[in-house]
């Protein structure tokens, strides 16, 4: 079995809300509220959920782009949760990010070659000549012409800009890459090319990915395991086959039932329509955060917080309907 590369335990990120002249704290946004997972070397964990559920915040917090409120982050067994900036620098080489917007994430005043080579300059990797040679090699590897090194971001298409972002993420030979919806801003045909490129790079360099997305079809294609988030918490986590064939949480069932499939394949499929709006992360519901929209909600769901536990081997879910060996009659809403 592959070794564990990243281990996150009870990660929390609460943003304070301040008011008045003296900026007094009047509340918090509970963006991430106790998230735990691990990623093995060479594995892709897909992190999915509705907009605003906190999935992007998870990626930024575990990279220490945002400071965690509580919890622990371990990379290669080393706790990096509270390291100072200078102490964290060696670990930043091992963790990189691909951003959602392939244009806003690139400095318009820098050439593409300077953008890709900047991480090596910051970390003082090699001589200027060696860095230039590696930049050219990275351009070639991600499907860009090395002759375009001197071009600026506005001279590239959206897909090409994202390839520049991927090349920049690879510059320091990282172990882990966080993809923050890296294909959501691209055309469908370009999405497939970028996804296939990421999978090829994973095989070649034994990379681990945390792949943040809301498109379940993309997640199913690239991920080994999938974690489903709702309002700052992970509500289900398992391998992709089990998740798509037998969802154990009502929220996952609703997400899967919304996946567009051909009309002929949709016969007999149960469409789950969630009622109500997503609650505010400033004042989330008590007990199970999903109970206000759940068609299976019981009185205890309003009071007791369900724990994420192993319902069947390798399949974790946080739902009171599975307590005491009771199995939730889900699955009809899954995409097949």
């Amino acid at each position: 079995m592959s070794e564990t590369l990243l281990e996150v335990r009870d990660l929390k990120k609460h943003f304070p809300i301040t008011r008045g002249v003296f900026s007094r704290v009047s509340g918090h946004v509970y963006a991430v509220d106790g998230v735990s997972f691990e990623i093995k070397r060479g594995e892709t964990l897909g992190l999915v959920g509705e907009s605003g559920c906190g999935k992007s915040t998870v990626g930024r917090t575990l990279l220490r782009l945002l400071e965690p409120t509580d919890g622990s982050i371990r990379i290669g067994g080393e706790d990096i949760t509270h390291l100072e900036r200078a102490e964290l620098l060696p670990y930043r080489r091992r963790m990189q990010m691909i951003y959602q917007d392939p244009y806003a994430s690139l400095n318009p005043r820098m050439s593409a070659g300077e953008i890709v080579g900047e991480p090596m300059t910051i970390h003082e990797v090699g001589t200027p000549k060696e860095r230039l040679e590696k930049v050219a090699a990275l351009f070639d590897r991600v499907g860009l012409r090395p002759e375009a090194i001197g071009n600026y971001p506005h001279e590239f298409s959206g897909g090409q800009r994202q390839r520049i972002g991927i090349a920049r993420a690879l510059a320091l030979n990282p172990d882990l890459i966080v993809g923050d919806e890296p294909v959501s801003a691209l055309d469908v045909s370009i999405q497939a090319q970028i996804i296939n490129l990421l999978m090829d790079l994973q095989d070649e360099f034994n990379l681990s990915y945390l792949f943040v997305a809301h498109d379940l079809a993309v997640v199913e294609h690239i991920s080994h395991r999938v974690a489903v988030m709702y309002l700052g918490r992970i509500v289900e986590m398992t391998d992709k086959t089990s998740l798509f064939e037998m969802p154990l949480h009502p929220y996952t069932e609703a997400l899967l039932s919304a996946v567009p499939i051909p009309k002929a394949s949709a016969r007999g499929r149960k469409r789950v329509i969630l009622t109500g709006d997503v609650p505010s992360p400033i004042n989330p519901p008590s007990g199970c955060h999903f109970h206000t929209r759940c068609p299976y909600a019981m009185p205890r769901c309003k009071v007791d917080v369900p724990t994420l536990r192993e319902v069947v081997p390798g399949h974790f879910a946080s739902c009171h309907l599975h307590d005491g060996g009771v199995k939730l009659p889900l699955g009809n809403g899954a995409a097949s």
Side-chain angles (χ1 to χ4, degrees), residues 246-273:
M246 188 184 69
L248 294 181
H249 195 280
Y251 178 61
T252 310
E253 181 192 35
L255 287 181
L256 293 176
S257 76
V259 175
I261 60 175
K263 188 173 182 179
S265 304
R267 291 172 185 167
R269 187 174 79 157
K270 177 184 171 185
R271 180 72 169 93
V272 179
I273 305 296

PDB file of all heavy atoms in Angstrom, residues 246-273:
ATOM      1  N   MET A 246     -23.332   3.609  -4.983  1.00  0.00           N
ATOM      2  CA  MET A 246     -24.095   3.430  -3.758  1.00  0.00           C
ATOM      3  C   MET A 246     -23.833   4.584  -2.780  1.00  0.00           C
ATOM      4  O   MET A 246     -23.081   4.443  -1.813  1.00  0.00           O
ATOM      5  CB  MET A 246     -23.749   2.103  -3.080  1.00  0.00           C
ATOM      6  CG  MET A 246     -24.646   1.746  -1.893  1.00  0.00           C
ATOM      7  SD  MET A 246     -24.129   0.235  -1.055  1.00  0.00           S
ATOM      8  CE  MET A 246     -22.576   0.750  -0.313  1.00  0.00           C
ATOM      9  N   PRO A 247     -24.399   5.759  -3.026  1.00  0.00           N
ATOM     10  CA  PRO A 247     -24.215   6.875  -2.093  1.00  0.00           C
ATOM     11  C   PRO A 247     -24.878   6.576  -0.753  1.00  0.00           C
ATOM     12  O   PRO A 247     -25.975   6.020  -0.706  1.00  0.00           O
ATOM     13  CB  PRO A 247     -24.889   8.052  -2.806  1.00  0.00           C
ATOM     14  CG  PRO A 247     -25.905   7.412  -3.700  1.00  0.00           C
ATOM     15  CD  PRO A 247     -25.299   6.108  -4.151  1.00  0.00           C
ATOM     16  N   LEU A 248     -24.222   6.944   0.329  1.00  0.00           N
ATOM     17  CA  LEU A 248     -24.744   6.655   1.659  1.00  0.00           C
ATOM     18  C   LEU A 248     -25.240   7.897   2.394  1.00  0.00           C
ATOM     19  O   LEU A 248     -25.712   7.796   3.514  1.00  0.00           O
ATOM     20  CB  LEU A 248     -23.668   5.963   2.511  1.00  0.00           C
ATOM     21  CG  LEU A 248     -23.234   4.570   2.052  1.00  0.00           C
ATOM     22  CD1 LEU A 248     -22.194   4.000   3.001  1.00  0.00           C
ATOM     23  CD2 LEU A 248     -24.426   3.623   1.952  1.00  0.00           C
ATOM     24  N   HIS A 249     -25.105   9.060   1.783  1.00  0.00           N
ATOM     25  CA  HIS A 249     -25.576  10.279   2.432  1.00  0.00           C
ATOM     26  C   HIS A 249     -26.632  10.937   1.535  1.00  0.00           C
ATOM     27  O   HIS A 249     -26.477  10.974   0.314  1.00  0.00           O
ATOM     28  CB  HIS A 249     -24.418  11.256   2.667  1.00  0.00           C
ATOM     29  CG  HIS A 249     -24.751  12.346   3.632  1.00  0.00           C
ATOM     30  ND1 HIS A 249     -25.478  13.471   3.263  1.00  0.00           N
ATOM     31  CD2 HIS A 249     -24.472  12.495   4.951  1.00  0.00           C
ATOM     32  CE1 HIS A 249     -25.624  14.257   4.319  1.00  0.00           C
ATOM     33  NE2 HIS A 249     -25.027  13.701   5.350  1.00  0.00           N
ATOM     34  N   PRO A 250     -27.716  11.458   2.115  1.00  0.00           N
ATOM     35  CA  PRO A 250     -28.777  12.074   1.295  1.00  0.00           C
ATOM     36  C   PRO A 250     -28.282  13.213   0.424  1.00  0.00           C
ATOM     37  O   PRO A 250     -28.786  13.412  -0.691  1.00  0.00           O
ATOM     38  CB  PRO A 250     -29.773  12.582   2.344  1.00  0.00           C
ATOM     39  CG  PRO A 250     -29.531  11.742   3.542  1.00  0.00           C
ATOM     40  CD  PRO A 250     -28.070  11.418   3.543  1.00  0.00           C
ATOM     41  N   TYR A 251     -27.303  13.973   0.903  1.00  0.00           N
ATOM     42  CA  TYR A 251     -26.787  15.082   0.100  1.00  0.00           C
ATOM     43  C   TYR A 251     -26.065  14.563  -1.133  1.00  0.00           C
ATOM     44  O   TYR A 251     -26.217  15.103  -2.230  1.00  0.00           O
ATOM     45  CB  TYR A 251     -25.849  15.948   0.949  1.00  0.00           C
ATOM     46  CG  TYR A 251     -25.229  17.096   0.180  1.00  0.00           C
ATOM     47  CD1 TYR A 251     -26.023  18.088  -0.395  1.00  0.00           C
ATOM     48  CD2 TYR A 251     -23.849  17.189   0.033  1.00  0.00           C
ATOM     49  CE1 TYR A 251     -25.455  19.141  -1.094  1.00  0.00           C
ATOM     50  CE2 TYR A 251     -23.276  18.238  -0.664  1.00  0.00           C
ATOM     51  CZ  TYR A 251     -24.076  19.203  -1.223  1.00  0.00           C
ATOM     52  OH  TYR A 251     -23.511  20.246  -1.918  1.00  0.00           O
ATOM     53  N   THR A 252     -25.283  13.502  -0.971  1.00  0.00           N
ATOM     54  CA  THR A 252     -24.597  12.903  -2.116  1.00  0.00           C
ATOM     55  C   THR A 252     -25.598  12.370  -3.127  1.00  0.00           C
ATOM     56  O   THR A 252     -25.419  12.520  -4.338  1.00  0.00           O
ATOM     57  CB  THR A 252     -23.670  11.758  -1.656  1.00  0.00           C
ATOM     58  OG1 THR A 252     -22.850  12.212  -0.596  1.00  0.00           O
ATOM     59  CG2 THR A 252     -22.809  11.267  -2.801  1.00  0.00           C
ATOM     60  N   GLU A 253     -26.664  11.769  -2.621  1.00  0.00           N
ATOM     61  CA  GLU A 253     -27.712  11.263  -3.517  1.00  0.00           C
ATOM     62  C   GLU A 253     -28.301  12.395  -4.349  1.00  0.00           C
ATOM     63  O   GLU A 253     -28.526  12.253  -5.551  1.00  0.00           O
ATOM     64  CB  GLU A 253     -28.810  10.593  -2.696  1.00  0.00           C
ATOM     65  CG  GLU A 253     -29.937  10.016  -3.564  1.00  0.00           C
ATOM     66  CD  GLU A 253     -31.153   9.625  -2.753  1.00  0.00           C
ATOM     67  OE1 GLU A 253     -31.455  10.295  -1.768  1.00  0.00           O
ATOM     68  OE2 GLU A 253     -31.816   8.645  -3.135  1.00  0.00           O
ATOM     69  N   ALA A 254     -28.519  13.538  -3.713  1.00  0.00           N
ATOM     70  CA  ALA A 254     -29.086  14.683  -4.432  1.00  0.00           C
ATOM     71  C   ALA A 254     -28.117  15.217  -5.479  1.00  0.00           C
ATOM     72  O   ALA A 254     -28.516  15.560  -6.592  1.00  0.00           O
ATOM     73  CB  ALA A 254     -29.448  15.781  -3.435  1.00  0.00           C
ATOM     74  N   LEU A 255     -26.825  15.276  -5.135  1.00  0.00           N
ATOM     75  CA  LEU A 255     -25.834  15.740  -6.100  1.00  0.00           C
ATOM     76  C   LEU A 255     -25.773  14.826  -7.313  1.00  0.00           C
ATOM     77  O   LEU A 255     -25.735  15.282  -8.454  1.00  0.00           O
ATOM     78  CB  LEU A 255     -24.446  15.801  -5.446  1.00  0.00           C
ATOM     79  CG  LEU A 255     -24.167  16.926  -4.451  1.00  0.00           C
ATOM     80  CD1 LEU A 255     -22.732  16.814  -3.948  1.00  0.00           C
ATOM     81  CD2 LEU A 255     -24.384  18.293  -5.080  1.00  0.00           C
ATOM     82  N   LEU A 256     -25.756  13.531  -7.069  1.00  0.00           N
ATOM     83  CA  LEU A 256     -25.636  12.577  -8.167  1.00  0.00           C
ATOM     84  C   LEU A 256     -26.886  12.559  -9.030  1.00  0.00           C
ATOM     85  O   LEU A 256     -26.811  12.353 -10.246  1.00  0.00           O
ATOM     86  CB  LEU A 256     -25.358  11.176  -7.617  1.00  0.00           C
ATOM     87  CG  LEU A 256     -24.001  10.978  -6.933  1.00  0.00           C
ATOM     88  CD1 LEU A 256     -23.898   9.576  -6.352  1.00  0.00           C
ATOM     89  CD2 LEU A 256     -22.863  11.216  -7.915  1.00  0.00           C
ATOM     90  N   SER A 257     -28.039  12.775  -8.439  1.00  0.00           N
ATOM     91  CA  SER A 257     -29.281  12.749  -9.227  1.00  0.00           C
ATOM     92  C   SER A 257     -29.370  13.951 -10.157  1.00  0.00           C
ATOM     93  O   SER A 257     -30.158  13.960 -11.102  1.00  0.00           O
ATOM     94  CB  SER A 257     -30.494  12.719  -8.302  1.00  0.00           C
ATOM     95  OG  SER A 257     -30.734  13.988  -7.724  1.00  0.00           O
ATOM     96  N   ALA A 258     -28.562  14.984  -9.878  1.00  0.00           N
ATOM     97  CA  ALA A 258     -28.580  16.188 -10.715  1.00  0.00           C
ATOM     98  C   ALA A 258     -27.606  16.098 -11.885  1.00  0.00           C
ATOM     99  O   ALA A 258     -27.585  16.990 -12.729  1.00  0.00           O
ATOM    100  CB  ALA A 258     -28.245  17.411  -9.862  1.00  0.00           C
ATOM    101  N   VAL A 259     -26.811  15.033 -11.951  1.00  0.00           N
ATOM    102  CA  VAL A 259     -25.853  14.883 -13.046  1.00  0.00           C
ATOM    103  C   VAL A 259     -26.604  14.601 -14.346  1.00  0.00           C
ATOM    104  O   VAL A 259     -27.386  13.644 -14.412  1.00  0.00           O
ATOM    105  CB  VAL A 259     -24.857  13.741 -12.761  1.00  0.00           C
ATOM    106  CG1 VAL A 259     -23.937  13.519 -13.963  1.00  0.00           C
ATOM    107  CG2 VAL A 259     -24.035  14.050 -11.522  1.00  0.00           C
ATOM    108  N   PRO A 260     -26.417  15.391 -15.397  1.00  0.00           N
ATOM    109  CA  PRO A 260     -27.116  15.145 -16.668  1.00  0.00           C
ATOM    110  C   PRO A 260     -26.646  13.836 -17.303  1.00  0.00           C
ATOM    111  O   PRO A 260     -25.443  13.587 -17.403  1.00  0.00           O
ATOM    112  CB  PRO A 260     -26.718  16.342 -17.540  1.00  0.00           C
ATOM    113  CG  PRO A 260     -26.176  17.366 -16.600  1.00  0.00           C
ATOM    114  CD  PRO A 260     -25.584  16.604 -15.466  1.00  0.00           C
ATOM    115  N   ILE A 261     -27.592  12.995 -17.689  1.00  0.00           N
ATOM    116  CA  ILE A 261     -27.260  11.761 -18.397  1.00  0.00           C
ATOM    117  C   ILE A 261     -28.227  11.611 -19.565  1.00  0.00           C
ATOM    118  O   ILE A 261     -29.293  12.240 -19.586  1.00  0.00           O
ATOM    119  CB  ILE A 261     -27.352  10.517 -17.471  1.00  0.00           C
ATOM    120  CG1 ILE A 261     -28.771  10.357 -16.910  1.00  0.00           C
ATOM    121  CG2 ILE A 261     -26.346  10.603 -16.347  1.00  0.00           C
ATOM    122  CD1 ILE A 261     -28.953   9.074 -16.099  1.00  0.00           C
ATOM    123  N   PRO A 262     -27.896  10.762 -20.577  1.00  0.00           N
ATOM    124  CA  PRO A 262     -28.794  10.576 -21.720  1.00  0.00           C
ATOM    125  C   PRO A 262     -30.185  10.134 -21.290  1.00  0.00           C
ATOM    126  O   PRO A 262     -30.345   9.417 -20.301  1.00  0.00           O
ATOM    127  CB  PRO A 262     -28.086   9.481 -22.538  1.00  0.00           C
ATOM    128  CG  PRO A 262     -26.645   9.612 -22.167  1.00  0.00           C
ATOM    129  CD  PRO A 262     -26.629  10.027 -20.724  1.00  0.00           C
ATOM    130  N   LYS A 263     -31.199  10.571 -22.058  1.00  0.00           N
ATOM    131  CA  LYS A 263     -32.584  10.308 -21.687  1.00  0.00           C
ATOM    132  C   LYS A 263     -32.866   8.824 -21.554  1.00  0.00           C
ATOM    133  O   LYS A 263     -33.576   8.388 -20.644  1.00  0.00           O
ATOM    134  CB  LYS A 263     -33.509  10.929 -22.736  1.00  0.00           C
ATOM    135  CG  LYS A 263     -34.982  10.886 -22.370  1.00  0.00           C
ATOM    136  CD  LYS A 263     -35.809  11.666 -23.382  1.00  0.00           C
ATOM    137  CE  LYS A 263     -37.282  11.651 -22.988  1.00  0.00           C
ATOM    138  NZ  LYS A 263     -38.112  12.419 -23.950  1.00  0.00           N
ATOM    139  N   ALA A 264     -32.310   8.017 -22.446  1.00  0.00           N
ATOM    140  CA  ALA A 264     -32.559   6.574 -22.399  1.00  0.00           C
ATOM    141  C   ALA A 264     -32.025   5.960 -21.114  1.00  0.00           C
ATOM    142  O   ALA A 264     -32.610   5.025 -20.557  1.00  0.00           O
ATOM    143  CB  ALA A 264     -31.925   5.895 -23.612  1.00  0.00           C
ATOM    144  N   SER A 265     -30.899   6.488 -20.615  1.00  0.00           N
ATOM    145  CA  SER A 265     -30.291   5.941 -19.407  1.00  0.00           C
ATOM    146  C   SER A 265     -30.984   6.432 -18.157  1.00  0.00           C
ATOM    147  O   SER A 265     -30.782   5.884 -17.079  1.00  0.00           O
ATOM    148  CB  SER A 265     -28.806   6.321 -19.345  1.00  0.00           C
ATOM    149  OG  SER A 265     -28.133   5.891 -20.500  1.00  0.00           O
ATOM    150  N   ALA A 266     -31.793   7.487 -18.285  1.00  0.00           N
ATOM    151  CA  ALA A 266     -32.417   8.106 -17.117  1.00  0.00           C
ATOM    152  C   ALA A 266     -33.724   7.445 -16.715  1.00  0.00           C
ATOM    153  O   ALA A 266     -34.311   7.798 -15.704  1.00  0.00           O
ATOM    154  CB  ALA A 266     -32.657   9.583 -17.392  1.00  0.00           C
ATOM    155  N   ARG A 267     -34.198   6.452 -17.492  1.00  0.00           N
ATOM    156  CA  ARG A 267     -35.472   5.805 -17.175  1.00  0.00           C
ATOM    157  C   ARG A 267     -35.385   5.112 -15.815  1.00  0.00           C
ATOM    158  O   ARG A 267     -34.467   4.357 -15.543  1.00  0.00           O
ATOM    159  CB  ARG A 267     -35.827   4.784 -18.249  1.00  0.00           C
ATOM    160  CG  ARG A 267     -36.172   5.437 -19.584  1.00  0.00           C
ATOM    161  CD  ARG A 267     -36.329   4.398 -20.670  1.00  0.00           C
ATOM    162  NE  ARG A 267     -36.552   5.018 -21.971  1.00  0.00           N
ATOM    163  CZ  ARG A 267     -36.484   4.359 -23.117  1.00  0.00           C
ATOM    164  NH1 ARG A 267     -36.189   3.062 -23.122  1.00  0.00           N
ATOM    165  NH2 ARG A 267     -36.702   4.995 -24.257  1.00  0.00           N
ATOM    166  N   GLY A 268     -36.353   5.403 -14.988  1.00  0.00           N
ATOM    167  CA  GLY A 268     -36.382   4.785 -13.668  1.00  0.00           C
ATOM    168  C   GLY A 268     -35.492   5.470 -12.656  1.00  0.00           C
ATOM    169  O   GLY A 268     -35.462   5.072 -11.494  1.00  0.00           O
ATOM    170  N   ARG A 269     -34.777   6.503 -13.061  1.00  0.00           N
ATOM    171  CA  ARG A 269     -33.906   7.185 -12.117  1.00  0.00           C
ATOM    172  C   ARG A 269     -34.716   8.153 -11.282  1.00  0.00           C
ATOM    173  O   ARG A 269     -35.536   8.905 -11.789  1.00  0.00           O
ATOM    174  CB  ARG A 269     -32.786   7.949 -12.837  1.00  0.00           C
ATOM    175  CG  ARG A 269     -31.769   8.513 -11.851  1.00  0.00           C
ATOM    176  CD  ARG A 269     -30.579   9.139 -12.545  1.00  0.00           C
ATOM    177  NE  ARG A 269     -30.878  10.482 -13.054  1.00  0.00           N
ATOM    178  CZ  ARG A 269     -29.951  11.400 -13.302  1.00  0.00           C
ATOM    179  NH1 ARG A 269     -28.674  11.117 -13.103  1.00  0.00           N
ATOM    180  NH2 ARG A 269     -30.280  12.580 -13.768  1.00  0.00           N
ATOM    181  N   LYS A 270     -34.472   8.131  -9.981  1.00  0.00           N
ATOM    182  CA  LYS A 270     -35.181   8.993  -9.050  1.00  0.00           C
ATOM    183  C   LYS A 270     -34.498  10.353  -8.992  1.00  0.00           C
ATOM    184  O   LYS A 270     -33.314  10.442  -8.734  1.00  0.00           O
ATOM    185  CB  LYS A 270     -35.187   8.343  -7.667  1.00  0.00           C
ATOM    186  CG  LYS A 270     -35.828   9.171  -6.569  1.00  0.00           C
ATOM    187  CD  LYS A 270     -35.662   8.439  -5.255  1.00  0.00           C
ATOM    188  CE  LYS A 270     -36.100   9.324  -4.090  1.00  0.00           C
ATOM    189  NZ  LYS A 270     -35.813   8.650  -2.803  1.00  0.00           N
ATOM    190  N   ARG A 271     -35.247  11.411  -9.270  1.00  0.00           N
ATOM    191  CA  ARG A 271     -34.697  12.763  -9.222  1.00  0.00           C
ATOM    192  C   ARG A 271     -34.960  13.341  -7.845  1.00  0.00           C
ATOM    193  O   ARG A 271     -36.113  13.406  -7.396  1.00  0.00           O
ATOM    194  CB  ARG A 271     -35.351  13.629 -10.299  1.00  0.00           C
ATOM    195  CG  ARG A 271     -34.839  15.064 -10.328  1.00  0.00           C
ATOM    196  CD  ARG A 271     -33.435  15.119 -10.887  1.00  0.00           C
ATOM    197  NE  ARG A 271     -33.040  16.488 -11.166  1.00  0.00           N
ATOM    198  CZ  ARG A 271     -32.395  17.275 -10.325  1.00  0.00           C
ATOM    199  NH1 ARG A 271     -32.087  16.816  -9.115  1.00  0.00           N
ATOM    200  NH2 ARG A 271     -32.060  18.495 -10.662  1.00  0.00           N
ATOM    201  N   VAL A 272     -33.907  13.723  -7.146  1.00  0.00           N
ATOM    202  CA  VAL A 272     -34.029  14.276  -5.804  1.00  0.00           C
ATOM    203  C   VAL A 272     -33.961  15.797  -5.880  1.00  0.00           C
ATOM    204  O   VAL A 272     -32.966  16.350  -6.355  1.00  0.00           O
ATOM    205  CB  VAL A 272     -32.910  13.750  -4.883  1.00  0.00           C
ATOM    206  CG1 VAL A 272     -33.037  14.348  -3.495  1.00  0.00           C
ATOM    207  CG2 VAL A 272     -32.952  12.231  -4.825  1.00  0.00           C
ATOM    208  N   ILE A 273     -35.018  16.453  -5.459  1.00  0.00           N
ATOM    209  CA  ILE A 273     -35.062  17.917  -5.454  1.00  0.00           C
ATOM    210  C   ILE A 273     -34.938  18.392  -4.010  1.00  0.00           C
ATOM    211  O   ILE A 273     -35.794  18.113  -3.170  1.00  0.00           O
ATOM    212  CB  ILE A 273     -36.375  18.447  -6.066  1.00  0.00           C
ATOM    213  CG1 ILE A 273     -36.587  17.881  -7.473  1.00  0.00           C
ATOM    214  CG2 ILE A 273     -36.347  19.973  -6.077  1.00  0.00           C
ATOM    215  CD1 ILE A 273     -35.551  18.315  -8.481  1.00  0.00           C
TER     216      ILE A 273
END
